Amino acid sequence: MYKKKNLGISGQSLLLLGIILMMLILPVSAATPEENAEAIADVQTALTVVWLILCGGIVFLMHAGFSLVEIGLTRVKNTTNILMKNFMTVCLGIVVYWVMGWALMYGADYAGIIGSDQFFMSGADNAIWTSWWFQMVFAATGATIVSGAMAERTSFKAYLIYTVLMVGLIYPVFGHWVWSGAGILTSGPIVDAIGIGYHDFAGSSVVHMIGGFSALAGVLLVGPRIGKFRHGKPVVIPGHSLPLAFLGTLILAFGWVGFNGGSTLDGNDPYIGLVIANTFLAAGAGAIMVLLITWMKTGKPDPSLTANGMLAGLVAITASCGSVASWAAVIIGLIAGIIVYVGVMFNEYTLKLDDPVGAIAVHGYSGAWGILSVGIFAIGQGNGIFADAAYTAAGAGLLYGGYQQFMIQVVGLILAVIWAFGISFIIFKVLDAVMGLRVPEEDEIAGLDIKEHGMSAYPEFVLAKE
């Protein structure tokens, strides 16, 4: 039988002697309460820095998720092109947000419209660099949303130019209005008139609506893919890999841990767990709703639409996850599922739009619902489960007897649509006139992998077919 070895008398004596020597050698100083408080504050600051860097890394991984969703829901012959677009979105986004994106978003305010200094991150200290990193990974997401909606027929060159303008102008200007603390939706005449500031916790409008309604402008101008509509009716063009699409969806869902969790901006926040719980309750509810709708409508649950239901729930809860009870998160997700299904059908059958991945409905329409849901379900600052959270919506929603929060949310929604759709429509129109927004018909038929990049993502598969 195994027996624990005893140190013995000599061993115990040596251990005791060592402890006495350490007590004699090491300086003995009792820390003052002020020193203890300072040490605790330093630890809390360090924890927040690490939290934001980690969450930024998780959000960065979402670009892999977007890539997989897009290539999974599109055809083999355009895989390399989509990978290159998403990869360069990240690379351009990093540099452009350093050059001007941060400055226009968080620089010194000018008239509540735009930031006016800190170009090239001039004067940045370590705290600002940490914030830059976290905000930068958000910035490129808007362009990635546009990439999916306009996939399989858009010029690579035109897309790259648009990405620069999205990250350097479209996204940061609206972001300044909402997140700078000095923008027109959080201070100034509009807020004074309504009596309360606009609330978008992590970007249902700043990121998703801006991306979704910019995508709407692009899809309208670039037109549908060849063969998408026959005699005015939409034709299904299957993607080449449902496994990749589902893997991408799950990576994106994981990314929301950083997206919403990190938006507390405080690694010591006591409500991080509840923020994330609300996020995933909405995600699950959105997917379940679409599953049930498609099952009832067609007799078979639709996989790709169900995956989009999860994303719609995530997009919708992003604005309110720090302001609502868990039961409200479930309702927000369920309604987002309805919206994304109806939105996809409306785009295809009524507007005759071709959006291969459903990005407009997922990000644009569901994002708009997320903004309105704040004005309906928010508990209000100082009340309920988020009573002492600095980031919760200031006003109570309609269900709690408030109306001001709903009013400002409607105003912000309208401004988001006008800004994103309007400026993107102009940019795409100019790009189309100058260089052509759409690739030639023969290039689209052959596939953008070969025509735009000179290689296939699956050379063995192509050779086998030949």
Side-chain angles (χ1 to χ4, degrees):
M1 182 181 293
Y2 174 80
K3 293 184 179 179
K4 188 174 180 180
K5 189 173 180 179
N6 198 308
L7 286 175
I9 295 176
S10 59
Q12 293 174 352
S13 300
L14 288 173
L15 180 60
L16 180 61
L17 178 63
I19 293 172
I20 292 171
L21 288 173
M22 288 178 65
M23 293 175 65
L24 292 173
I25 294 171
L26 293 176
V28 178
S29 61
T32 66
E34 291 77 13
E35 289 172 332
N36 283 333
E38 184 178 350
I40 292 171
D42 288 343
V43 171
Q44 290 176 330
T45 299
L47 180 59
T48 293
V49 170
V50 172
W51 174 243
L52 288 178
I53 291 173
L54 175 62
C55 286
I58 295 172
V59 176
F60 185 86
L61 183 63
M62 291 176 75
H63 289 284
F66 277 115
S67 298
L68 292 174
V69 168
E70 289 176 34
I71 64 176
L73 296 178
T74 53
R75 290 166 290 186
V76 170
K77 62 183 180 180
N78 298 305
T79 301
T80 299
N81 177 257
I82 290 170
L83 290 173
M84 280 294 291
K85 285 199 299 181
N86 280 274
F87 183 76
M88 290 311 302
T89 296
V90 176
C91 296
L92 287 170
I94 294 169
V95 176
V96 172
Y97 200 69
W98 168 73
V99 172
M100 61 185 294
W102 170 272
L104 297 184
M105 193 163 176
Y106 290 106
D109 175 68
Y110 178 77
I113 301 295
I114 201 168
S116 60
D117 66 358
Q118 298 187 47
F119 292 93
F120 296 93
M121 297 300 292
S122 60
D125 57 18
N126 188 56
I128 291 179
W129 278 117
T130 301
S131 296
W132 172 86
W133 158 250
F134 185 68
Q135 295 296 338
M136 180 276 296
V137 293
F138 278 64
T141 303
T144 303
I145 293 167
V146 177
S147 167
M150 299 175 67
E152 300 200 289
R153 73 274 203 199
T154 304
S155 161
F156 183 65
K157 187 189 303 182
Y159 173 76
L160 294 183
I161 294 173
Y162 177 78
T163 296
V164 170
L165 294 170
M166 167 60 89
V167 179
L169 177 67
I170 302 171
Y171 169 82
V173 168
F174 189 77
H176 183 82
W177 299 354
V178 179
W179 286 343
S180 69
I184 57 174
L185 284 172
T186 55
S187 63
I190 297 175
V191 175
D192 292 342
I194 295 176
I196 208 161
Y198 180 76
H199 183 80
D200 183 359
F201 175 67
S204 286
S205 63
V206 177
V207 177
H208 298 285
M209 282 186 67
I210 293 301
F213 284 97
S214 294
L216 177 60
V219 169
L220 279 170
L221 286 174
V222 79
R225 291 168 291 174
I226 295 170
K228 176 60 183 177
F229 293 97
R230 293 177 188 167
H231 309 296
K233 294 183 179 180
V235 175
V236 175
I237 301 178
H240 83 274
S241 177
L242 201 56
L244 289 180
F246 267 80
L247 177 59
T249 300
L250 292 174
I251 290 174
L252 286 172
F254 171 69
W256 252 273
V257 173
F259 209 93
N260 288 359
S263 292
T264 61
L265 303 180
D266 185 356
N268 309 283
D269 185 84
Y271 302 113
I272 290 173
L274 185 53
V275 164
I276 293 173
N278 279 347
T279 299
F280 283 89
L281 284 169
I288 291 168
M289 178 56 76
V290 177
L291 172 85
L292 295 174
I293 292 172
T294 57
W295 209 334
M296 289 187 293
K297 292 281 289 185
T298 67
K300 294 181 176 64
D302 185 284
S304 61
L305 281 173
T306 300
N308 271 344
M310 170 175 274
L311 296 179
L314 290 164
V315 167
I317 196 63
T318 293
S320 64
C321 57
S323 302
V324 301
S326 56
W327 63 264
V330 173
I331 293 175
I332 291 169
L334 290 172
I335 295 175
I338 297 171
I339 288 172
V340 76
Y341 176 81
V342 173
V344 168
M345 297 300 115
F346 176 72
N347 285 348
E348 288 200 353
Y349 287 90
T350 303
L351 299 182
K352 301 295 188 289
L353 298 178
D354 181 14
D355 176 357
V357 301
I360 297 168
V362 168
H363 300 278
Y365 304 161
S366 299
W369 160 238
I371 290 304
L372 292 179
S373 69
V374 174
I376 298 171
F377 297 101
I379 297 171
Q381 215 162 59
N383 301 315
I385 50 178
F386 291 104
D388 56 346
Y391 48 74
T392 196
L398 295 176
L399 290 182
Y400 293 90
Y403 67 92
Q404 292 170 304
Q405 192 69 59
F406 186 80
M407 289 175 64
I408 192 69
Q409 297 303 114
V410 172
V411 172
L413 185 155
I414 293 170
L415 288 178
V417 173
I418 292 172
W419 171 249
F421 182 85
I423 193 71
S424 293
F425 191 90
I426 293 169
I427 291 169
F428 282 128
K429 198 73 174 175
V430 172
L431 288 174
D432 193 34
V434 172
M435 65 180 61
L437 187 59
R438 186 171 183 140
V439 299
E441 183 176 325
E442 59 271 22
D443 291 3
E444 183 180 345
I445 292 171
L448 302 188
D449 287 5
I450 299 299
K451 292 297 182 177
E452 292 266 25
H453 308 284
M455 63 178 64
S456 169
Y458 306 100
E460 293 87 356
F461 175 77
V462 173
L463 289 172
K465 285 187 70 177
E466 293 175 348

